[in-house]
Amino acid sequence: MLIIKVGATDSTNLHLKRMMAETELPDFTVLTANAQHKGRGQAGTHWISEPGKNLTFSVLKYFEGQEASGGFLISKVVSLALVEVLHALEIPELSIKWPNDIMSGNQKICGILIENTLKGQALIHSVIGIGINVNQSDFKNLPHAASLSQITGVQHDLDALLDRVLNSLEKNLQKLDKALGEGIHRSYDHLLFRRDSLAEFEIGGKIVPGIIRGVSPDGTLLLDREGRLESYALKEIAFRL
Ligand code: BTN
């Protein structure tokens, strides 16, 4: 594991990808930044994180013989690896809000942005970007964001936490080579935020009720809408918290 620490950058995902274009990096190269001024989130959103308070890092992972359709499996494994660490820190009411926000109750504590590079049907590598709200004490106009310190009442050591997360990621990503897909799907579904309970969603500009029943192997959300099971891709649907 190669760990590169930088002070400030635009985005650790972008920075790592620029380095990859210039030089051959080993598997599991980690780039972590104290501050990002252009942190990126899912679906073109921004990831805002107070400098020096939180973890913002990206991990390069190579794959051999992994089918592109397995892309979402990687996303599940990464979410589960994070939940494992947060569970050990006794963060209460952990769940995974599809596709891969880690929640404590109704508060988002961690976001994941995975960028996959494919060659035909094969997955070549992933840049796994992770932001964990650790010691930030104020999220201003983000009512559904919270940090670990707000939840636990204590400050957390950033280096020690990074170490734990990286070890968990490395261990869990090995499961992909061992064809442990079934167990991964089950554990992920089991942790799904608001599964089997009535919730509101925004679909095509309308607010509609629905019940989350699970996630398909290729990562679409399976929503029960008045008895009909429908499948939605990330760009087609948004949660109403
Ligand atoms: C989301 O919740 O929408 C995903 C947020 C991902 C944020 C992390 S912070 C480190 C890495 N670099 C980025 O620019 N984004 C990811």
Side-chain angles (χ1 to χ4, degrees), residues 10-14 36 38-43 45 47 55-58 101 108 110-113 129-131:
D10 46 359
S11 146
T12 56
N13 273 32
L14 290 176
Q36 294 186 126
K38 213 174 174 186
R40 297 156 71 226
Q42 299 264 357
T45 56
W47 182 256
L55 286 176
T56 47
F57 62 98
S58 302
D101 291 345
K108 176 165 169 174
C110 173
I112 301 166
L113 177 67
I130 299 176

XYZ file of all heavy atoms in Angstrom, residues 10-14 36 38-43 45 47 55-58 101 108 110-113 129-131, ligand 1:
216
model
N -7.436 20.047 -5.896
C -8.806 20.277 -6.352
C -9.702 19.153 -5.840
O -10.682 19.371 -5.138
C -8.871 20.422 -7.885
C -8.092 19.363 -8.651
O -7.467 18.492 -8.008
O -8.118 19.390 -9.894
N -9.348 17.917 -6.207
C -10.129 16.741 -5.825
C -9.149 15.573 -5.804
O -8.331 15.439 -6.719
C -11.222 16.520 -6.881
O -11.481 15.142 -7.068
N -9.226 14.738 -4.783
C -8.270 13.617 -4.720
C -8.508 12.638 -5.871
O -7.558 12.030 -6.369
C -8.339 12.896 -3.363
O -9.685 12.472 -3.128
C -7.853 13.782 -2.234
N -9.771 12.488 -6.316
C -10.026 11.610 -7.476
C -9.309 12.162 -8.710
O -8.624 11.428 -9.427
C -11.525 11.510 -7.774
C -12.219 10.410 -6.992
O -11.827 10.105 -5.867
N -13.261 9.831 -7.563
N -9.468 13.473 -8.947
C -8.856 14.086 -10.131
C -7.332 14.036 -10.022
O -6.635 13.699 -10.990
C -9.304 15.548 -10.268
C -10.759 15.790 -10.658
C -11.061 17.289 -10.656
C -11.051 15.196 -12.035
N -9.708 20.014 -0.083
C -10.063 19.948 -1.509
C -10.828 21.225 -1.840
O -11.729 21.606 -1.096
C -11.002 18.785 -1.787
C -10.437 17.405 -1.598
C -11.425 16.321 -2.035
O -11.102 15.477 -2.826
N -12.625 16.367 -1.506
N -12.270 21.520 -4.925
C -13.251 21.164 -5.945
C -13.681 19.707 -5.712
O -13.659 18.885 -6.637
C -12.592 21.300 -7.308
C -13.512 21.733 -8.414
C -12.646 21.963 -9.639
C -13.394 22.267 -10.881
N -12.465 22.331 -12.016
N -13.986 19.396 -4.445
C -14.398 18.039 -4.101
C -15.651 17.658 -4.877
O -16.571 18.462 -4.990
N -15.641 16.461 -5.441
C -16.749 16.060 -6.307
C -17.608 14.998 -5.638
O -17.110 14.108 -4.957
C -16.194 15.518 -7.626
C -15.433 16.589 -8.392
C -14.435 15.987 -9.326
N -15.074 15.329 -10.449
C -14.735 14.125 -10.888
N -13.801 13.425 -10.308
N -15.355 13.611 -11.917
N -18.921 15.103 -5.890
C -19.852 14.124 -5.352
C -20.548 13.365 -6.467
O -20.258 13.583 -7.645
N -21.466 12.507 -6.095
C -22.248 11.735 -7.071
C -23.070 12.675 -7.953
O -23.495 13.734 -7.488
C -23.259 10.853 -6.328
C -22.648 9.845 -5.406
C -22.512 8.484 -6.077
O -22.931 8.303 -7.217
N -21.917 7.560 -5.377
N -23.330 12.239 -9.156
C -24.229 12.933 -10.087
C -23.906 14.423 -10.231
O -24.796 15.272 -10.207
C -25.693 12.744 -9.637
N -22.532 16.566 -8.202
C -22.640 17.456 -7.036
C -21.237 17.786 -6.487
O -20.237 17.234 -6.944
C -23.475 16.797 -5.920
O -22.865 15.537 -5.599
C -24.916 16.563 -6.356
N -18.599 18.101 -3.137
C -18.391 17.568 -1.780
C -17.664 18.638 -0.991
O -16.532 18.996 -1.308
C -17.565 16.283 -1.830
C -17.358 15.676 -0.468
C -16.216 15.721 0.282
C -18.308 14.925 0.302
N -16.399 15.058 1.464
C -17.674 14.567 1.498
C -19.635 14.545 0.097
C -18.315 13.818 2.485
C -20.275 13.804 1.086
C -19.624 13.446 2.260
N -11.723 13.354 6.606
C -10.911 12.542 5.687
C -11.455 12.694 4.279
O -12.661 12.546 4.039
C -10.967 11.065 6.095
C -10.167 10.672 7.341
C -10.389 9.190 7.680
C -8.670 10.929 7.156
N -10.558 13.017 3.349
C -10.910 13.046 1.925
C -9.765 12.344 1.199
O -8.621 12.821 1.223
C -11.065 14.498 1.398
O -9.957 15.280 1.823
C -12.346 15.150 1.867
N -10.051 11.207 0.621
C -8.969 10.431 -0.004
C -9.511 9.561 -1.133
O -10.721 9.338 -1.246
C -8.242 9.564 1.034
C -9.113 8.540 1.699
C -9.129 7.222 1.257
C -9.949 8.889 2.755
C -9.944 6.274 1.860
C -10.763 7.944 3.364
C -10.765 6.647 2.915
N -8.579 9.093 -1.970
C -8.940 8.221 -3.092
C -7.969 7.052 -3.138
O -6.787 7.202 -2.817
C -8.872 8.991 -4.414
O -9.722 10.109 -4.367
N -24.262 6.221 0.169
C -24.036 7.184 1.250
C -24.110 6.405 2.555
O -25.038 5.614 2.740
C -25.162 8.229 1.312
C -25.154 9.161 0.122
O -24.146 9.194 -0.601
O -26.169 9.864 -0.070
N -26.096 12.055 7.002
C -25.047 11.474 6.143
C -23.684 11.754 6.767
O -23.348 12.895 7.051
C -25.141 12.096 4.757
C -24.048 11.647 3.805
C -24.411 12.010 2.382
C -23.258 11.841 1.420
N -23.634 12.060 0.024
N -20.823 9.960 5.454
C -19.756 9.563 4.541
C -20.290 9.437 3.118
O -21.403 8.960 2.911
C -19.249 8.219 5.061
S -18.099 7.421 4.023
N -19.518 9.936 2.137
C -19.907 9.828 0.730
C -18.821 9.120 -0.071
O -17.628 9.194 0.286
N -19.239 8.448 -1.116
C -18.314 7.633 -1.924
C -18.522 7.961 -3.395
O -19.667 8.013 -3.867
C -18.599 6.124 -1.692
C -18.436 5.764 -0.205
C -17.685 5.259 -2.556
C -19.014 4.403 0.158
N -17.432 8.198 -4.103
C -17.519 8.431 -5.551
C -16.514 7.507 -6.242
O -15.301 7.711 -6.120
C -17.193 9.895 -5.876
C -17.178 10.241 -7.360
C -18.576 10.143 -7.960
C -16.621 11.653 -7.579
N -13.136 7.152 -4.407
C -13.010 8.381 -3.622
C -13.936 8.334 -2.421
O -15.114 8.002 -2.551
N -13.385 8.670 -1.262
C -14.174 8.580 -0.027
C -14.029 9.868 0.782
O -12.913 10.366 0.988
C -13.703 7.361 0.814
C -13.923 6.076 0.018
C -14.435 7.308 2.165
C -13.436 4.816 0.676
N -15.141 10.392 1.223
C -15.127 11.538 2.134
C -15.836 11.130 3.412
O -16.982 10.666 3.365
C -21.263 11.834 -2.652
O -21.728 11.617 -1.545
O -21.921 12.417 -3.518
C -19.876 11.354 -2.954
C -18.842 12.201 -2.268
C -17.424 11.721 -2.475
C -16.432 12.665 -1.865
C -15.028 12.149 -1.923
S -13.918 13.177 -1.017
C -12.550 12.354 -1.707
C -12.877 12.070 -3.153
N -12.489 13.197 -3.993
C -13.547 13.804 -4.533
O -13.504 14.817 -5.270
N -14.679 13.191 -4.157
C -14.416 12.037 -3.316
